[in-house]
Amino acid sequence: MTQTTDAAAPVEPKPQPARRPRIHRAWFVAAVTFVTIIGAAAFRSLPGLLIDPLNQEFGWSRGTISAAVSINLALYGLTAPFAAALMDRYGIRRVVAVALTVIAVGSGLTVWMTAAWQLLLYWGLLVGLGSGSMALAFAATVTNRWFTERRGLVTGILTAASASGQLIFLPLLSWMVEKHDWRPAAITVALAALAVVPFVWLLLRDHPADVGLKPYGAKEFVPKPDPVPGAARRAVTVLFKAVRTGPFWLLAGTFAICGASTNGLIQTHFVPAAHDAHMPVTTAASLLAVIGVFDVVGTVASGWFTDRFEPRRLLAMYYALRGISLLFLPLLLGPSVHPPMLFFIVFYGLDWVATVPPTVALCREVYGEDSAIVFGWVLASHQIGAALVAFLGGVARDVFGSYDMVWVASGALCAVAALMALVIRRRPAPIPAVA
């Protein structure tokens, strides 16, 4: 007789170890972008340190040297929208790698210059063109392509990279200029730009679809768009469409004042102004580096705030507080560092480029897919404002013997920017078609 057996009891599956959440590739791309901007930021630490050495060695006036800085700053902005369009056509990696190489060539050639026109060509034109392709439009393009969520935070982090570069390079470059010469500092800038090129080429990717991923926070897969031909024409076309809308002029106007009161004024003229007040150059450069420390904190915090609060009100608050602080600066400069000066440095650092995340958010809200190129043009206004004040500040110093008038005028402009920010329309503006 065949013995029957009970039905086998179902075997319970063994518990599988919980899978650790995978870090999205977008964060690695953001990290590479951050390091790239840090490496390229070396050139932005040098102009303020060159004014006195070049004046002493070659006898060039501060106005002449400031003119080279002005060309650099203007091209930094004017190149940005075309660079954003070129990234749509040829990819981020190629554009950024070429830009870093141009920066290295321009900075390296300055060590052999003997005439003022060479400073205008090498530092003004070449470094200006290269740096313009590495401008904040690069960060905006990466953020728009790779992130759907946390855009404000990522914009703040990438914007802070420039300040981090200033923090890293300013003390080193000021030490080189004071102890050795300005030429080793220029070579250091060139080598820093070249050192980042391999990271860009090997690790940066143009679009999430290149590695089969969705943008961070996206619900659906986003195919990579086809290359857009006619990069220059597209940049100009987007400009023609944007200038027919009111928000563009308000964004461009406020950002021009932002550039005038940061890159054009403090970054270019703070060190020579402090030196006029008998402060050692290395001490003044260290104070600028401290601004860079708190700039990182302020910009990342601003990105976090932008994800949660109305960008217009944030901009108005940033500009109003910046203007008030500039009015007090002439009273604070002296031969030594004292608590009120440290308070100004910390405060100004927190506010330095905190304006960028809400400005990018407003561009994205109003101009949609064209927002990176529109922001490039808004950034151009930022650099035009910076260029004007970099030049006029040097001229004012030559004519009046001090920078006091420049500080007060910049503070008044910041008050105007605060009022302009409050009247920016947040709803999407109808963008007229170009005939």
Side-chain angles (χ1 to χ4, degrees):
M1 182 176 178
T2 305
Q3 186 178 6
T4 61
T5 58
D6 296 336
V11 180
E12 294 184 2
K14 294 181 180 180
Q16 298 293 326
R19 297 182 64 181
R20 299 179 62 182
R22 182 182 176 186
I23 300 177
H24 196 282
R25 179 69 175 267
W27 293 108
F28 291 102
V29 173
V32 174
T33 305
F34 186 89
V35 173
T36 302
I37 296 174
I38 285 179
F43 73 89
R44 299 187 66 186
S45 305
L46 197 55
L49 303 176
L50 290 180
I51 292 178
D52 284 336
L54 294 179
N55 173 264
Q56 294 168 6
E57 179 172 340
F58 297 105
W60 301 335
S61 70
R62 293 171 184 264
T64 299
I65 300 168
S66 297
V69 178
S70 296
I71 294 172
N72 180 296
L73 292 172
L75 288 176
Y76 178 87
L78 292 172
T79 306
F82 296 98
L86 285 171
M87 289 176 190
D88 289 340
R89 177 67 178 88
Y90 298 105
I92 298 174
R93 285 197 306 169
R94 294 178 182 177
V95 173
V96 173
V98 171
L100 288 167
T101 304
V102 171
I103 290 172
V105 171
S107 182
L109 287 175
T110 58
V111 301
W112 289 289
M113 66 184 179
T114 57
W117 68 265
Q118 294 169 332
L119 177 66
L120 300 177
L121 175 62
Y122 301 152
W123 196 261
L125 181 63
L126 292 181
V127 177
L129 288 173
S131 61
S133 301
M134 289 291 302
L136 294 175
F138 168 43
T141 300
V142 170
T143 304
N144 289 347
R145 291 186 182 184
W146 282 89
F147 291 86
T148 299
E149 296 179 354
R150 302 289 189 268
R151 281 177 167 174
L153 177 63
V154 175
T155 301
I157 293 173
L158 296 182
T159 303
S162 181
S164 301
Q166 176 176 289
L167 166 65
I168 293 170
F169 288 106
L170 253 178
L172 173 63
L173 296 177
S174 64
W175 176 82
M176 287 182 175
V177 170
E178 186 171 29
K179 298 296 183 182
H180 299 284
D181 189 19
W182 61 269
R183 290 176 177 83
I187 291 296
T188 300
V189 171
L191 293 177
L194 283 178
V196 183
V197 173
F199 291 95
V200 171
W201 194 255
L202 296 175
L203 301 177
L204 195 63
R205 292 294 179 268
D206 293 329
H207 196 277
D210 290 340
V211 289
L213 293 176
K214 298 181 292 186
Y216 178 82
K219 304 300 182 184
E220 298 178 354
F221 181 81
V222 179
K224 182 177 181 179
D226 294 330
V228 180
R233 186 175 69 176
R234 183 179 178 219
V236 174
T237 300
V238 170
L239 173 64
F240 284 163
K241 290 160 60 177
V243 296
R244 300 184 183 185
T245 64
F248 175 81
W249 292 105
L250 292 169
L251 288 166
T254 55
F255 224 41
I257 295 172
C258 178
S261 56
T262 52
N263 302 75
L265 182 62
I266 296 295
Q267 191 164 50
T268 303
H269 293 293
F270 179 81
V271 171
H275 189 56
D276 285 346
H278 308 292
M279 182 181 291
V281 171
T282 51
T283 302
S286 297
L287 290 177
L288 270 185
V290 174
I291 286 179
V293 174
F294 288 94
D295 183 11
V296 174
V297 177
T299 308
V300 174
S302 179
W304 188 86
F305 290 143
T306 302
D307 287 332
R308 290 160 175 80
F309 301 105
E310 185 178 349
R312 296 181 308 166
R313 295 182 179 179
L314 290 175
L315 284 178
M317 180 180 66
Y318 296 154
Y319 285 122
L321 294 175
R322 181 184 300 179
I324 293 171
S325 67
L326 283 173
L327 295 177
F328 285 97
L329 183 57
L331 305 175
L332 303 178
L333 289 172
S336 60
V337 180
H338 45 84
M341 171 58 78
L342 287 177
F343 179 80
F344 170 85
I345 293 297
V346 172
F347 183 85
Y348 212 83
L350 292 172
D351 191 57
W352 182 268
V353 286
T355 56
V356 173
T359 301
V360 172
L362 287 169
C363 285
R364 186 183 303 119
E365 180 177 334
V366 176
Y367 299 104
E369 295 181 355
D370 291 331
S371 62
I373 297 177
V374 172
F375 178 70
W377 285 113
V378 171
L379 179 62
S381 71
H382 180 282
Q383 295 309 116
I384 291 173
L388 285 173
V389 171
F391 174 68
L392 294 176
V395 173
R397 172 60 178 78
D398 288 336
V399 173
F400 300 106
S402 76
Y403 287 99
D404 290 354
M405 181 181 296
V406 184
W407 305 131
V408 174
S410 296
L413 284 174
C414 288
V416 174
L419 295 175
M420 293 171 64
L422 289 175
V423 298
I424 297 173
R425 293 201 313 269
R426 291 201 63 197
R427 64 180 182 273
I431 302 181
V434 178

